[in-house]
Amino acid sequence: MAIIYQTDKRSGITYAYEASYQWDKEKKQSRSKRTLLGRVDPDTKEIIPTDGRGKKRAGGSQTGHLDALEAEAIYIIREVAAECEKPVMLYSIGKDSSVMLHLALKAFYPEKPPFPFLHIDTTWKFREMIAFRDRMAKEKGIEMLVYTNEEGVAQGINPFDHGSAYTDIMKTQALKQALSKYGFTAAFGGGRRDEEKSRAKERIFSFRNSEQAWDPKNQRPEMWKQYNTQLHKGESMRVFPISNWTEKDIWQYIARENIEIVPLYFAKERPVVYRDGNIIMVDDDRMRLLPGEEIRHKSVRFRTLGCYPLTGGVESTADTLEAIVAETLGAVTSERTSRVIDHEAAGSMERRKREGYF
Amino acid sequence: MEGLLKFITCGSVDDGKSTLIGHMLYDAKLLFADQEHALELDSRVGSREGKIDYSLLLDGLMAEREQGITIDVAYRYFTTERRSFIVADTPGHEEYTRNMAVGASFADLAVILVDATQGILSQTRRHARICVLMGIRYFVFAVNKMDLVHYSQREFLKIEKEIRKLAIDLELSHVTVIPVSATEGDNITLKYSNMPWYAGQTLLDYLETVNIEEGTEEPGFLMPVQRVCRPNHSFRGFQGQIESGTVQIDDEITILPSREKARVASILVTDQKSVFARKGQAVTISLNREVDVSRGCVLVADTELTVSTMFTATILWMDDQELMQGKNFLIKLGTKTIPASVMDIKYRIDINTGEQIATSKLYKNEIAVCDIATASPIVYDTFSGHKGLGSFILIDRVTNMTSACGVVEHSLRRSENIVWQKLDITREIRAGKMGQKPVTLWFTGLSGSGKSALANEIEKRLSLDGKYTMLLDGDNIRMGLNKNLGFEPEDRIENIRRIAEVAKLMNDAGLIVLTSFISPFASDRQNARTIIGDENFIEIYVSTPLEECERRDVKGLYQKARTGKIPNFTGISSPYEAPKHAEIVIDTGRQPLEESVRIVLEQLAPYLTDDAG
């Protein structure tokens, strides 16, 4: 055994290796095997062990799985960039989108992601979300496309009067319009299989026909890491790189990677009303109050973000990431409960997906 | 994947597979309150009359819920204090073999349910066989419904013996057998007093502690290149996920297929500079010198991979359309996608009994051993050597369906000679390698009708489209092969016969042939059709009227014919028998050439697609 020092000419860093020698009987010569010990501190000459990213992290098995999930997602994102003609990453401004953006930046570093990001703006998003979106696009140096169904706006479609038609027109139809306007052939989405039963069965590379519809009975088999990205003209793919992540994984990853998220996720005193068991924030003066409702100031936070009149908050004082993670990991309701629309009918999500909703 | 266990559950609806996992989630208090609420609500309309039906947790899609069976793969996620889990739940019936294969390809471990009242069934063998095929190395047999056999140890031991025998038959590694009751909960997460004779772990306890990394390490360093990262002129990095081994700065790397060597200059693990990277990590590697590396190349060190165009593989056929020998596909192996064909189906494996059955066709959900040939050399390994470079999918070139998945058994490089003798290289195989359907486009029409211009343009377009073509016309036939023939009636017949024979040979070679001859007589054209084969003969009648042809008179031939200088001139002094049943008719006088070409190509498209499979 011996310790060998070698200096990388480019970086000027000296690395220390442990070398062992063995006699190779077949080749009749000695062979050496080196194992990296660490880098040498130029001042103290001490060997500083390499961090071996993810090799031995505190908590061991409880965070080791994040490395696996991250690597899987990056593999998928790179496959799309390499094989698909015109990809786009959907950006909803929520925490899952923040994770997706982060993964995309990591996947191509030192390059910028070789595709644009797309936000479908219903015009009813929280104001803080829009500000966050614009700031992120600028800071990260990415191309951010924003699309609104102007026809729906002109018709005055709103979440108060039009119920599920609102979601269809301002989200589903708007998304379809945007994808065909730009001719995107693959759209990354932040959908996760733990969110909802029908998502649990969707492929990572999910085929959409020329009407952009999903056929759950005719999905392409997905084996190992061999993703089939072949398309005919007019057809497209929805790709879900974080399919295998759970809500808990998302929060742990945000904490580990120090990912910035919209402040609405943190508890703060906000003007809200209580409606049908949900806490709705009064984000602007378009919010209609029902008889008997009054605006109260409560410390609330949001577990998912969407259109403010359709997004239920929870009463909480968790104003740090640690506190949110602690609250979430002990959560008694799964996250989609706070999306008002999901209660309309069992299987509503599957129906909307068939129609082209994400 | 330290800290994360991906497993699959196998068994039929009646085996209580969904109930088992549902019970595990419920017991381990892993349900969120609203899911639990939904479960109790759903149970009221379910089959267990008010008692909790745990299986409802896992059955997802509406259609499936109504039918009461699981038809696709459902993924479930749960975390205990000791480990994170992803469960793939798949249907057990034989017609859903491909769905099970999807789940198995994803998993590191299989939980196979065996009904204690029935013992090992042919489906148990099938499930185990699929799992082995897809690369699973850890097996748990959960002998379920122990409550129905009065928790009898004798019954359990009888079944365990059968399982041990099965494990030997199928060469299963790492087999554990646990007696359970999915509905009552015994040995799922807790040991009840019903089976004091069982001293082993509960199912959850086993899943939490099993080390699936043990004995599954693959030799050397290996990374298939996903993409080349080129942010500026000074940096060129190769991005991919390390499939096996480790790499560090200054290591010597071999690039396949070129076999060029270079040293590692820098490593990025995601976006972090590192001196070292290991299996599973997403990396960007730059090398110390300029080498030709693109997507599909593989970086290796200290391991041998094969670069060749033929190998033997076991495939699972998943398409509704049957597979016939010689069919052409796109193969995706590692990060490379290229044309390939199934040359020879050696035999089918009965998935229930393992019996080898000779066949030339494969139907959905059948497994077979076959030889695969790729259009150009590809880098691969056997599945037992490196999973990542020994597994592939076949994609239908027309429907884009993932038609088959497969694993490489061995290379055919060394035994190439023997194989070539044995194989009959058929027209289908040759055409398959070119990825086209070889047909003859027989252009007929008057002199000056625009046949040659049209045939010429169409050949250009087909060629641009990646087709392999050959144009036969007066110039290359009359000057050579047929230079001993004149213009007498018998010569004209022989002329057409020879052209037809040549076209047929070229079709056999895989080429798309275009012929441009006046061929005025219906009987000659019929003869050509017979020689070439009706299914490959596409008659294109260029119907430009005589007046138009004569008006064009490009070569001044009509004028000569009118003045009697050319005898037997078609249309003037010799008849033209217009085709009555031509596949395509086009009058080039009605629109510009460009437009005529478009019309013909449009009508031609269905004839050029391989509908025969």
Side-chain angles (χ1 to χ4, degrees):
Chain A
M1 298 266 211
I3 289 177
I4 291 180
Y5 297 94
Q6 188 162 13
T7 306
D8 182 336
K9 285 180 200 124
R10 212 163 305 127
S11 61
I13 300 171
T14 304
Y15 297 101
Y17 300 90
E18 184 184 272
S20 59
Y21 300 92
Q22 267 183 326
W23 183 255
D24 187 331
K25 282 179 189 162
E26 266 178 41
K27 292 190 174 165
K28 294 189 177 161
Q29 62 183 30
S30 77
R31 304 192 73 171
S32 68
K33 187 178 185 312
R34 284 188 197 177
T35 316
L36 181 71
L37 294 174
R39 76 185 166 85
V40 180
D41 189 298
D43 300 323
T44 64
K45 305 294 176 204
E46 269 175 37
I47 298 171
I48 303 161
T50 46
D51 69 351
R53 283 178 62 84
K55 217 177 174 185
K56 278 182 203 140
R57 194 165 277 128
S61 65
Q62 282 304 307
T63 56
H65 74 283
L66 288 180
D67 290 329
L69 292 170
E70 181 192 62
E72 179 186 70
I74 288 176
Y75 186 86
I76 293 162
I77 293 169
R78 286 174 176 172
E79 278 299 282
V80 171
E83 288 210 331
C84 296
E85 206 176 313
K86 203 172 178 197
V88 64
M89 185 171 275
L90 299 180
Y91 182 74
S92 74
I93 320 176
K95 65 183 194 312
D96 295 345
S97 278
S98 295
V99 167
M100 291 274 286
L101 168 59
H102 185 80
L103 288 168
L105 291 167
K106 283 187 112 175
F108 301 105
Y109 184 85
E111 241 178 290
K112 290 287 178 196
F115 44 74
F117 291 70
L118 171 67
H119 177 233
I120 300 299
D121 192 349
T122 59
T123 72
W124 290 92
K125 301 291 173 192
F126 290 90
R127 283 174 297 171
E128 278 181 80
M129 289 171 71
I130 302 301
F132 183 84
R133 174 195 72 194
D134 296 342
R135 186 166 61 78
M136 276 299 132
K138 211 169 148 193
E139 282 181 14
K140 304 293 181 190
I142 52 166
E143 185 188 353
M144 179 71 69
L145 306 169
V146 177
Y147 185 88
T148 299
N149 183 352
E150 292 302 341
E151 213 178 304
V153 174
Q155 288 169 1
I157 303 293
N158 67 71
F160 302 108
D161 302 320
H162 302 98
S164 61
Y166 162 76
T167 306
D168 179 56
I169 295 168
M170 298 309 288
K171 284 170 90 172
T172 312
Q173 298 307 324
L175 174 61
K176 283 194 199 178
Q177 288 167 5
L179 294 180
S180 36
K181 177 185 169 188
Y182 293 101
F184 292 121
T185 58
F188 290 105
R192 306 195 316 269
R193 287 172 176 158
D194 80 323
E195 282 180 290
E196 211 264 348
K197 277 180 177 178
S198 80
R199 273 201 178 143
K201 299 201 169 179
E202 187 159 7
R203 303 285 187 254
I204 291 173
F205 282 66
S206 189
F207 176 76
R208 293 292 190 277
N209 64 19
S210 48
E211 272 76 54
Q212 299 192 20
W214 180 54
D215 181 359
K217 283 199 171 157
N218 194 25
Q219 300 197 76
R220 292 177 181 176
E222 208 160 75
M223 323 306 260
W224 303 291
K225 289 192 305 191
Q226 304 295 343
Y227 302 110
N228 177 351
T229 58
Q230 302 294 319
L231 293 175
H232 285 127
K233 221 179 153 131
E235 297 167 347
S236 59
M237 289 272 171
R238 304 287 163 88
V239 184
F240 304 101
I242 55 170
S243 282
N244 287 327
W245 296 46
T246 63
E247 184 178 14
K248 180 179 172 178
D249 298 328
I250 294 284
W251 283 117
Q252 285 184 334
Y253 188 70
I254 288 170
R256 184 182 100 171
E257 302 283 306
N258 210 4
I259 298 171
E260 201 181 339
I261 52 174
V262 183
L264 289 159
Y265 285 110
F266 299 97
K268 198 181 127 184
E269 200 175 273
R270 297 185 166 96
V272 297
V273 294
Y274 289 75
R275 182 178 289 177
D276 303 332
N278 289 302
I279 303 171
I280 308 293
M281 180 169 155
V282 183
D283 195 45
D284 58 35
D285 53 17
R286 292 179 297 173
M287 178 74 185
R288 296 186 205 160
L289 297 189
L290 299 176
E293 277 181 349
E294 53 170 311
I295 297 174
R296 298 193 223 174
H297 290 268
K298 288 277 179 184
S299 176
V300 295
R301 64 179 183 86
F302 294 88
R303 301 178 62 188
T304 60
L305 293 180
C307 302
Y308 78 82
L310 298 177
T311 306
V314 287
E315 279 186 44
S316 165
T317 53
D319 57 359
T320 63
L321 208 50
E322 292 70 33
I324 294 172
V325 174
E327 261 190 30
T328 306
L329 300 192
V332 291
T333 44
S334 74
E335 99 192 75
R336 277 203 162 266
T337 339
S338 53
R339 290 200 190 165
V340 181
I341 187 161
D342 283 341
H343 288 313
E344 288 192 1
S348 70
M349 175 67 96
E350 187 187 340
R351 202 165 296 126
R352 278 184 294 139
K353 276 165 77 82
R354 285 184 179 178
E355 289 160 5
Y357 178 81
F358 238 77
Chain B
M1 285 209 177
E2 184 194 0
L4 179 66
L5 181 70
K6 295 173 167 182
F7 69 98
I8 179 178
T9 54
C10 313
S12 275
V13 195
D14 303 336
D15 295 343
K17 180 171 37 98
S18 299
T19 308
L20 181 95
I21 299 306
H23 209 125
M24 192 165 0
L25 301 183
Y26 191 84
D27 266 11
K29 299 280 173 277
L30 297 162
L31 296 182
F32 288 115
D34 62 338
Q35 275 179 6
E36 205 169 331
H37 175 71
L39 182 69
E40 272 154 33
L41 200 80
D42 279 353
S43 282
R44 276 186 231 144
V45 294
S47 53
R48 291 197 79 210
E49 291 161 0
K51 276 178 95 175
I52 294 176
D53 184 350
Y54 299 100
S55 70
L56 291 172
L57 260 179
L58 286 112
D59 288 335
L61 301 185
M62 279 192 285
E64 290 168 319
R65 253 194 280 178
E66 283 151 21
Q67 285 172 30
I69 50 160
T70 317
I71 56 170
D72 212 304
V73 191
Y75 299 91
R76 282 287 166 255
Y77 302 80
F78 67 96
T79 303
T80 66
E81 280 173 14
R82 293 196 272 184
R83 200 169 210 172
S84 292
F85 297 93
I86 307 180
V87 193
D89 183 29
T90 66
H93 287 242
E94 192 163 344
E95 63 263 41
Y96 302 123
T97 295
R98 71 167 195 180
N99 306 71
M100 175 173 285
V102 169
S105 80
F106 166 88
D108 299 310
L109 177 147
V111 175
I112 298 183
L113 268 88
V114 178
D115 187 328
T117 64
Q118 304 198 53
I120 298 271
L121 300 174
S122 65
Q123 63 156 5
T124 317
R125 294 176 185 280
R126 183 173 76 237
H127 297 158
R129 188 166 279 117
I130 296 164
C131 290
V132 177
L133 173 69
M134 302 308 285
I136 292 181
R137 286 160 176 154
Y138 279 79
F139 289 86
V140 181
F141 286 84
V143 180
N144 191 23
K145 302 193 186 175
M146 286 304 293
D147 51 319
L148 298 185
V149 296
H150 313 290
Y151 299 107
S152 156
Q153 183 180 16
R154 213 170 55 113
E155 290 296 320
F156 173 73
L157 289 177
K158 210 172 79 188
I159 293 169
E160 190 185 16
K161 209 173 146 191
E162 289 180 52
I163 293 170
R164 297 291 169 191
K165 188 178 169 303
L166 172 80
I168 293 166
D169 289 350
L170 298 181
E171 297 174 23
L172 307 183
S173 43
H174 309 98
V175 173
T176 304
V177 189
I178 304 175
V180 301
S181 166
T183 51
E184 307 307 318
D186 303 81
N187 291 338
I188 303 294
T189 62
L190 293 170
K191 285 187 156 189
Y192 298 144
S193 56
N194 292 320
M195 290 178 274
W197 46 266
Y198 175 70
Q201 290 173 288
T202 63
L203 181 58
L204 183 63
D205 191 33
Y206 173 79
L207 295 175
E208 283 180 327
T209 52
V210 62
N211 178 10
I212 45 120
E213 295 286 328
E214 217 173 84
T216 58
E217 282 200 3
E218 298 175 338
F221 163 78
L222 188 157
M223 189 197 88
V225 175
Q226 282 190 284
R227 67 188 294 275
V228 178
C229 171
R230 206 146 200 191
N232 53 54
H233 290 296
S234 61
F235 184 84
R236 188 171 149 88
F238 309 111
Q239 301 188 317
Q241 188 174 15
I242 299 176
E243 290 284 330
S244 76
T246 59
V247 65
Q248 58 193 49
I249 287 176
D250 210 37
D251 275 358
E252 190 181 66
I253 296 287
T254 304
I255 295 111
L256 295 175
S258 71
R259 301 199 187 275
E260 280 188 276
K261 289 185 193 304
R263 288 189 180 274
V264 174
S266 74
I267 301 172
L268 286 166
V269 175
T270 68
D271 59 351
Q272 300 293 315
K273 270 198 174 166
S274 181
V275 290
F276 163 91
R278 65 187 163 83
K279 183 188 169 184
Q281 291 184 323
V283 295
T284 303
I285 291 175
S286 73
L287 301 174
N288 69 339
R289 63 189 196 89
E290 191 76 19
V291 275
D292 187 19
V293 180
S294 58
R295 176 173 167 83
C297 291
V298 183
L299 308 185
V300 296
D302 303 322
T303 185
E304 273 298 310
L305 296 184
T306 311
V307 181
S308 88
T309 58
M310 274 174 85
F311 54 80
T312 300
T314 303
I315 65 165
L316 167 64
W317 185 250
M318 306 189 289
D319 207 320
D320 290 329
Q321 246 183 37
E322 70 262 28
L323 167 70
M324 283 187 276
Q325 285 185 176
K327 180 156 174 149
N328 189 258
F329 297 91
L330 287 177
I331 189 171
K332 185 165 185 187
L333 191 157
T335 54
K336 187 96 180 164
T337 307
I338 54 169
S341 39
V342 175
M343 307 277 284
D344 182 20
I345 304 175
K346 290 168 166 312
Y347 54 84
R348 175 168 82 77
I349 298 172
D350 185 302
I351 50 173
N352 293 311
T353 64
E355 199 188 337
Q356 298 179 1
I357 303 158
T359 184
S360 58
K361 275 188 189 179
L362 268 195
Y363 296 94
K364 192 171 165 180
N365 292 322
E366 289 183 341
I367 295 174
V369 172
C370 40
D371 290 343
I372 295 195
T374 55
S376 51
I378 190 166
V379 184
Y380 65 89
D381 195 6
T382 60
F383 191 56
S384 54
H386 288 98
K387 264 182 155 187
L389 276 181
S391 53
F392 59 87
I393 55 170
L394 298 177
I395 302 167
D396 189 290
R397 300 189 71 165
V398 176
T399 64
N400 287 336
M401 185 67 185
T402 305
S403 294
C405 64
V407 298
V408 178
E409 299 294 348
H410 56 85
S411 159
L412 281 175
R413 187 179 48 163
R414 268 163 261 126
S415 53
E416 216 166 43
N417 292 334
I418 306 159
V419 172
W420 281 106
Q421 280 168 16
K422 208 191 97 203
L423 274 170
D424 277 339
I425 302 297
T426 62
R427 170 196 180 107
E428 284 69 33
I429 291 170
R430 294 189 200 100
K433 293 185 91 165
M434 298 183 190
Q436 63 186 26
K437 186 182 173 195
V439 294
T440 295
L441 311 181
W442 191 280
F443 291 81
T444 173
L446 294 166
S447 176
S449 60
K451 293 185 300 299
S452 294
L454 192 58
N456 198 32
E457 276 308 305
I458 285 171
E459 184 182 25
K460 276 197 235 162
R461 295 286 295 272
L462 290 175
S463 184
L464 282 176
D465 203 26
K467 305 287 186 203
Y468 298 87
T469 56
M470 179 66 197
L471 177 66
L472 302 177
D473 62 11
D475 288 346
N476 57 23
I477 293 291
R478 280 275 180 195
M479 306 287 176
L481 179 68
N482 289 359
K483 69 179 167 198
N484 60 332
L485 299 179
F487 291 89
E488 295 306 310
E490 51 273 37
D491 283 355
R492 296 184 80 139
I493 292 168
E494 177 60 11
N495 182 40
I496 298 297
R497 189 193 68 80
R498 288 187 194 176
I499 291 163
E501 290 287 359
V502 168
K504 179 180 180 262
L505 285 173
M506 287 183 167
N507 280 167
D508 283 349
L511 299 174
I512 293 171
V513 179
L514 302 92
T515 71
S516 172
F517 300 93
I518 300 173
S519 48
F521 299 109
S523 59
D524 288 354
R525 293 193 304 261
Q526 183 52 50
N527 192 26
R529 189 184 280 270
T530 309
I531 290 166
I532 290 163
D534 190 39
E535 68 280 10
N536 304 314
F537 187 87
I538 297 147
E539 191 167 49
I540 300 172
Y541 173 32
V542 185
S543 66
T544 319
L546 179 65
E547 307 79 69
E548 172 66 14
C549 297
E550 200 168 350
R551 190 190 61 74
R552 292 179 187 168
D553 202 7
V554 196
K555 300 174 190 164
L557 295 174
Y558 281 96
Q559 208 192 345
K560 287 183 185 165
R562 286 284 183 206
T563 54
K565 285 180 189 154
I566 304 175
N568 297 331
F569 192 80
T570 303
I572 308 294
S573 46
S574 179
Y576 178 82
E577 298 171 8
K580 293 198 176 80
H581 305 289
E583 275 79 4
I584 296 170
V585 181
I586 179 86
D587 175 353
T588 61
R590 292 174 180 242
Q591 60 278 315
L593 179 64
E594 185 81 330
E595 186 62 10
S596 299
V597 169
R598 193 192 60 78
I599 294 168
V600 173
L601 280 173
E602 205 175 276
Q603 295 188 49
L604 206 50
Y607 294 103
L608 296 180
T609 55
D610 195 356
D611 49 10

